[in-house]
Amino acid sequence: MHLLTDFDLTKDQVLDILDLSSEIKANPVEYSGCMRNKTLIMLFELASLRTRISFEAGMNRLGGHAIFYSIAGGKFTRSETLEDGVKNLNEYVDIIMVRALKQEAVERIGSVATVPVINGMTERFHPCQNLADLLTIKEMKGGLEGLKIVYVGDGWCNTANSTMIGCSSVGMDVTIVCPDYPRYSPNPEIISKAMAHSDSEITVSHDPESGVAGADVIYTDVWVSAGMEEEKKKRMDVFPPFQVNAELVSHADPDCIVMHCLPAHHGLEITSEVMDSQKSVVFDQAGNRMHAQNGLLLWLLKK
Ligand code: CP
């Protein structure tokens, strides 16, 4: 089984992975050898701090081994195609994680891999981030069902997509608060598919204050995602009213927590005041990248 998009997991499967993640996190010694003799290869077309280090450190903690390999330009070295490269990897490794500019590359890898493939982020989805987010929300709020998460910022981006799909699948209501332009609003096809994948509400709002009303979780991410750098100037004009600042947070539930996928741009999508406040759980969230992925790795290898 692969995790190529958030749609690949049912509600029960997500909850199983979260339970296993919590179990491993709470009992590190018991699980310290569960990946013995297992090798993860991490294919990166784009730079990373959290994804690279959390997978590598996680495999190390579980007694396994992780290898970093660059696929800059969407190819293996010596211009080997993705398909040929992966047919080699099938012979050597137990699991593949890939961060690519385009979802198509992850799908191509999945189509020839005989071992599980994990999407470590593309322009469309970031399912590992969502598993870490759900683990964090569950820890901070004591559950997931019935909570309201409000994503403020670029509604078209990968993190918004994974938040819509993953959070709604486990019974959270999702609101996307974004500028009123199709380019920055959620893809209608993703909304329809996410609603068919869950029983939850998915709402789009272009008004930050009313959008965050009653929010248990406010979530934001960068205004200029990887691969969109040429749009930076226009985005800097459009997104400032969607900054997560203390004034905006005051309109949410008094016990609301604030999350960020990271890296953060202080003073743009989030103020330092909010990022460093008691409501911010961004570094717990970053830490849970490793714990959620450990649960995912073990769960996939047990399938
Ligand atoms: N949030 C996230 O995926 O971080 P990296 O780009 O550093 O991996």
Side-chain angles (χ1 to χ4, degrees), residues 47-52 99 121 126 129 261-263 289:
S48 164
L49 168 64
R50 280 147 293 273
T51 303
R52 176 175 176 179
R99 167 167 290 191
M121 195 186 90
H126 202 350
Q129 182 67 51
C261 172
L262 299 180
R289 285 296 303 274

Side-chain angles (χ1 to χ4, degrees), residues 9-211:
L9 295 175
T10 64
K11 173 180 182 176
D12 286 346
Q13 288 173 327
V14 170
L15 297 178
D16 280 353
I17 293 167
L18 297 181
D19 284 348
L20 184 56
S21 304
S22 301
E23 163 79 13
I24 299 169
K25 185 175 178 180
N27 301 287
V29 176
E30 195 178 313
Y31 285 90
S32 62
C34 69
M35 287 284 178
R36 195 160 169 268
N37 293 331
K38 300 292 183 199
T39 300
L40 165 75
I41 187 138
M42 307 182 297
L43 304 176
F44 280 94
E45 188 178 4
L46 294 168
S48 164
L49 168 64
R50 280 147 293 273
T51 303
R52 176 175 176 179
I53 306 303
S54 58
F55 268 107
E56 191 163 339
M59 278 301 280
N60 186 45
R61 284 193 185 206
L62 301 179
H65 179 56
I67 301 170
F68 170 89
Y69 194 93
S70 168
I71 53 164
K75 284 186 161 55
F76 284 81
T77 51
R78 303 173 71 193
S79 297
E80 218 160 347
T81 66
L82 285 179
E83 286 81 359
D84 284 355
V86 171
K87 286 175 188 171
N88 287 266
L89 297 181
N90 285 336
E91 304 294 323
Y92 308 138
V93 305
D94 301 282
I95 194 155
I96 297 170
M97 189 283 298
V98 52
R99 167 167 290 191
L101 204 45
K102 297 284 180 197
Q103 180 68 19
E104 186 212 355
V106 175
E107 307 279 345
R108 282 171 59 198
I109 289 170
S111 72
V112 290
T114 57
V115 297
V117 176
I118 297 172
N119 180 342
M121 195 186 90
T122 67
E123 92 288 16
R124 295 192 69 199
F125 302 106
H126 202 350
C128 294
Q129 182 67 51
N130 185 253
L131 289 172
D133 299 343
L134 290 173
L135 183 62
T136 309
I137 297 165
K138 193 176 159 208
E139 288 175 352
M140 297 292 165
K141 292 288 182 184
L144 297 167
E145 189 113 28
L147 294 177
K148 174 178 176 177
I149 184 167
V150 181
Y151 182 97
V152 183
D154 179 2
W156 182 268
C157 77
N158 47 17
T159 313
N161 285 342
S162 288
T163 300
M164 274 192 290
I165 304 160
C167 292
S168 65
S169 81
V170 296
M172 295 178 71
D173 289 330
V174 181
T175 299
I176 304 291
V177 175
C178 58
D180 191 5
Y181 296 89
R183 181 80 180 107
Y184 310 133
S185 297
N187 181 334
E189 268 181 46
I190 302 260
I191 297 186
S192 303
K193 238 179 126 179
M195 288 182 73
H197 191 68
S198 79
D199 300 323
S200 303
E201 288 284 321
I202 300 177
T203 311
V204 178
S205 164
H206 304 300
D207 178 49
E209 277 188 25
S210 62

